[in-house]
């Protein structure tokens, strides 16, 4: 036998030393022969023998009290009751929580403000709540500057166009009125062909009066146009101020 | 044996006090002994043994009736001891408690050799300690220890081998092994 074989043999020897197999240990002649030659293995075996000897001297620790089993059982029964109560409490709490969530959901469904629309799939969709703040409608706070600026510019362009159209329409109406007035004033008056530069004597007075009327109409329109322009400028200035403040 | 265990467990599950007491009385010496060996403190061992039985009664319905009851009980014991040691390391130790440990004799063996083995056991890892005590003191076979600790048999064998080597080394260092001649029994 070699040292490695002795190590394996020693473990097997120790395995056979379980309580009950006491006193039956034997040492093989081959192992004995190796122990005579090898001091390290001999010492290892001696230590193993001492360990086994010491384990035999180990006495079982005595139980602390005779009525220990009774007290342990009492504690176990109490523990069982406590655990059952805890489980019931937890169950009640869970049921109560589930019921309150259900009530909240039902109440929310019943008392939800605003009409509901069916989207055709059997799902009732909520209608969007009306916005109370008009500024929020124009430029919602979630939108970025890039998103809100084109919309504002478009609105301003539309306002400008509308004002220009109104002014043009008013001018056209005034011109038509003036034409009708001239026609009514001199029904037989024949105007010379364009480019001659000479008007008949009768028509000079009529022309002067028409020019005067036209001038008066123009003077009358001017304040309206000026007021509209001022209003437009004011509107634009205010809007630009608001836009800057909002972005900041 | 397993049938008797199954019957005992069934009665315990029905809440029969006598059956519960019988179960405690049957396993208490082994559980308490293992706790003392692993924890090296009698008071701690008593507390842990009580905890072990509370745990056993709590989880009795999870016990597989096809398997023996003893390894299952011993496995719970080793686990509780390991948890106790871990908790004790984390919590601060009161001074008087430390003194109590120092003055308390860890085992009731009179022999110096037994005390040295006990001291060597204290230096072992909890797993090695448990395996060593279960094998050499409680006489459990490898298979049952493996079942109790839920480890492969090979792992149990390795742990036991290392535990033995460390204890033998301790005995040699402490001068407990006399210089032997080549005379063998």
């Amino acid at each position: 036998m070699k040292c490695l074989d002795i190590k394996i043999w020693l473990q097997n020897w120790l395995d056979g030393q379980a309580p009950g197999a006491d006193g039956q240990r034997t040492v093989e002649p081959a192992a004995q022969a190796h122990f005579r030659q090898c001091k390290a293995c001999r010492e290892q075996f001696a230590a193993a023998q001492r360990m086994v000897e010491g384990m035999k001297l180990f006495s079982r620790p005595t139980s602390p009290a005779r009525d220990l089993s009774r007290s342990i059982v009492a504690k176990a029964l109490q523990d069982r009751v406590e655990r059952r109560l805890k489980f019931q409490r937890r169950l009640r709490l869970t049921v109560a929580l589930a019921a309150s969530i259900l009530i909240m959901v039902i109440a929310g469904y019943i008392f939800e403000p605003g009409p509901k629309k069916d989207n055709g799939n059997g799902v009732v969709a909520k209608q969007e709540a009306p916005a109370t703040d008009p500024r929020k409608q124009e430029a919602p706070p979630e939108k970025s500057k890039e998103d809100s600026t084109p919309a504002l510019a478009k609105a301003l362009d539309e306002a400008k166009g509308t004002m220009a159209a109104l002014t043009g329409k008013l001018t056209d109406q005034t011109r038509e009125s003036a034409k009708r007035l001239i026609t009514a004033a001199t029904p037989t008056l024949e105007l010379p062909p364009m480019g001659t530069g000479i008007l008949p004597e009768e028509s000079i007075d009529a022309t002067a009066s028409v020019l005067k009327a036209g001038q008066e109409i123009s003077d009358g329109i001017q304040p309206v146009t000026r007021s509209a322009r001022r209003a437009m400028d004011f509107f634009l200035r205010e809007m630009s101020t608001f836009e800057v403040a909002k972005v900041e | 044996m397993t049938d008797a265990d199954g019957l005992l467990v069934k009665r315990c599950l029905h809440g029969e006090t006598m059956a519960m007491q019988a179960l405690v009385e049957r396993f208490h010496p082994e559980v308490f002994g293992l706790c003392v060996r692993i924890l090296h403190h009698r008071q701690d061992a008593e507390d842990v043994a009580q905890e072990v039985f509370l745990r056993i009664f709590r989880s009795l319905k999870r016990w597989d009736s096809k398997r023996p009851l003893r390894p299952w009980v011993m496995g719970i014991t080793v686990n509780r001891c390991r948890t106790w040691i871990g908790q004790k390391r984390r919590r601060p130790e009161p001074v008087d408690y430390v003194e109590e440990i120092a003055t308390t004799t860890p085992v009731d063996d009179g022999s110096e050799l037994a005390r040295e083995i006990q001291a060597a056991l204290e230096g072992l890892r909890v797993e090695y300690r448990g395996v060593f005590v279960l094998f050499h003191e409680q006489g459990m076979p490898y298979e049952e220890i493996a079942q109790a600790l839920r480890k492969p048999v090979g792992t149990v064998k390795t742990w036991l081998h290392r535990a033995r080597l460390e204890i033998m080394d301790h005995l040699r260092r402490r001068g407990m092994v006399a210089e032997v001649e080549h005379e063998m029994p």
Side-chain angles (χ1 to χ4, degrees):
Chain A
M1 281 178 111
K2 292 181 179 176
C3 291
L4 187 66
D5 300 325
I6 288 293
K7 279 181 184 171
I8 296 165
W9 175 83
L10 188 58
Q11 290 303 316
N12 291 333
W13 185 81
L14 284 167
D15 283 352
Q17 294 306 304
D22 180 43
Q24 300 297 318
R25 65 177 188 271
T26 52
V27 181
E28 290 177 29
Q32 281 186 16
H34 181 83
F35 290 143
R36 279 189 207 103
Q37 296 163 4
C38 181
K39 193 185 172 191
C41 288
R42 194 164 63 233
E43 281 182 0
Q44 187 77 349
F45 181 61
Q49 280 181 313
R50 289 289 281 164
M51 185 176 74
V52 170
E53 210 177 305
M55 289 304 295
K56 279 185 217 158
L57 295 171
F58 258 37
S59 58
R60 280 272 169 91
T62 49
S63 292
R66 285 197 60 81
D67 60 344
L68 187 81
S69 63
R70 216 170 293 161
S71 72
I72 288 175
V73 169
K75 276 186 186 173
L77 289 171
Q78 193 187 342
D79 179 65
R80 197 175 278 184
V81 171
E82 280 174 10
R83 284 170 69 81
R84 196 173 296 157
L85 285 173
K86 199 175 171 183
F87 173 74
Q88 284 174 355
R89 256 200 314 271
R90 211 175 277 175
L91 188 71
R92 276 186 210 137
L93 191 71
T94 311
V95 169
L97 197 65
S100 29
I101 289 170
L102 192 68
I103 288 167
M104 279 195 286
V105 168
I106 291 169
Y109 184 76
I110 292 170
F111 300 111
E112 190 184 20
K116 297 170 190 67
K117 287 192 294 188
D118 196 333
N119 59 8
N121 298 328
V123 180
V124 177
K126 276 200 278 184
Q127 198 177 23
E128 281 181 15
T132 49
D133 192 351
R135 283 190 297 180
K136 279 184 184 172
Q137 266 188 321
E138 285 179 4
E142 290 83 19
K143 283 187 176 178
S144 62
K145 189 184 172 185
E146 290 78 15
D147 292 338
S148 61
T149 308
L152 184 67
K154 194 181 172 187
L156 287 174
D157 285 340
E158 279 176 7
K160 275 182 198 173
T162 310
M163 285 300 290
L166 275 171
T167 313
K169 196 177 175 184
L170 190 63
T171 313
D172 289 343
Q173 281 177 353
T174 312
R175 197 179 293 151
E176 285 298 318
S177 302
K179 274 185 185 172
R180 262 188 247 121
L181 189 64
I182 292 166
T183 315
T186 53
T188 54
L189 182 65
E190 286 181 8
L191 291 175
M194 293 291 285
T196 54
I198 300 159
L199 283 171
E201 281 294 320
E202 310 88 327
S203 65
I204 289 173
D205 291 335
T207 307
S209 65
V210 167
L211 284 172
K212 194 179 173 186
Q215 187 62 42
E216 282 172 359
I217 288 166
S218 177
D219 290 342
I221 289 169
Q222 261 182 359
V224 176
T225 316
R226 210 176 294 132
S227 299
R229 197 173 290 145
R230 274 185 198 158
M232 196 64 205
D233 290 339
F234 180 74
F235 176 68
L236 287 172
R237 206 165 45 241
E238 283 300 302
M239 285 308 292
S240 61
T241 312
F242 167 71
E243 188 61 25
V244 170
K246 191 172 77 64
V247 169
E248 280 173 359
Chain B
M1 187 68 179
T2 311
D3 289 345
D5 286 346
L7 191 66
L8 185 67
V9 169
K10 207 175 271 182
R11 285 173 60 205
C12 288
L13 285 171
H14 281 109
E16 281 186 37
T17 316
M18 295 301 288
M20 291 168 87
Q21 273 188 18
L23 192 136
V24 173
E25 279 164 14
R26 184 173 153 196
F27 288 110
H28 190 269
E30 289 176 68
V31 168
F32 180 68
L34 186 59
C35 290
V36 169
R37 293 283 177 241
I38 295 179
L39 301 173
H40 309 294
H41 194 277
R42 203 177 168 82
Q43 188 61 48
D44 286 356
E46 283 176 20
D47 293 344
V48 173
Q50 282 200 11
E51 274 187 33
V52 166
F53 282 105
L54 287 181
R55 225 152 248 275
I56 286 170
F57 287 125
R58 266 184 213 167
S59 47
L60 214 48
K61 56 187 143 190
R62 288 202 292 271
W63 170 65
D64 183 5
S65 57
K66 290 170 195 158
R67 296 185 173 214
L69 188 60
R70 190 168 167 242
W72 184 71
V73 170
M74 291 306 175
I76 292 176
T77 310
V78 173
N79 283 338
R80 287 313 300 163
C81 287
R82 198 188 300 160
T83 309
W84 181 272
I85 289 169
Q87 287 171 347
K88 205 169 169 180
R89 274 185 199 143
R90 282 196 292 274
R91 64 176 173 240
E93 202 78 40
V95 177
D96 55 341
Y97 190 56
V98 174
E99 282 172 0
E100 190 198 340
I101 289 172
T103 53
T104 306
T105 311
V107 288
D108 37 16
D109 299 318
S111 165
E112 195 186 347
L113 179 63
R115 275 202 298 273
E116 284 300 334
I117 291 176
Q118 182 66 47
L121 273 173
E122 283 178 37
L124 294 179
R125 269 174 58 178
V126 182
E127 292 87 1
Y128 296 178
R129 212 183 296 170
V131 168
F132 185 85
V133 174
L134 285 174
F135 186 88
H136 282 290
E137 195 177 14
Q138 310 270 353
M140 277 173 76
Y142 283 126
E143 289 74 22
E144 283 195 8
I145 297 173
Q147 272 183 18
L149 303 181
R150 293 181 183 180
K151 298 283 176 194
V153 175
T155 307
V156 171
K157 281 184 178 175
T158 307
W159 286 356
L160 184 62
H161 174 63
R162 287 177 188 166
R164 283 168 175 169
L165 288 181
E166 284 190 38
I167 290 170
M168 288 191 282
D169 189 45
H170 176 88
L171 291 178
R172 274 207 302 270
R173 275 190 280 111
R174 299 286 294 172
M176 299 304 293
V177 181
E179 186 64 36
V180 286
E181 298 305 320
H182 61 271
E183 288 298 320
M184 289 290 135

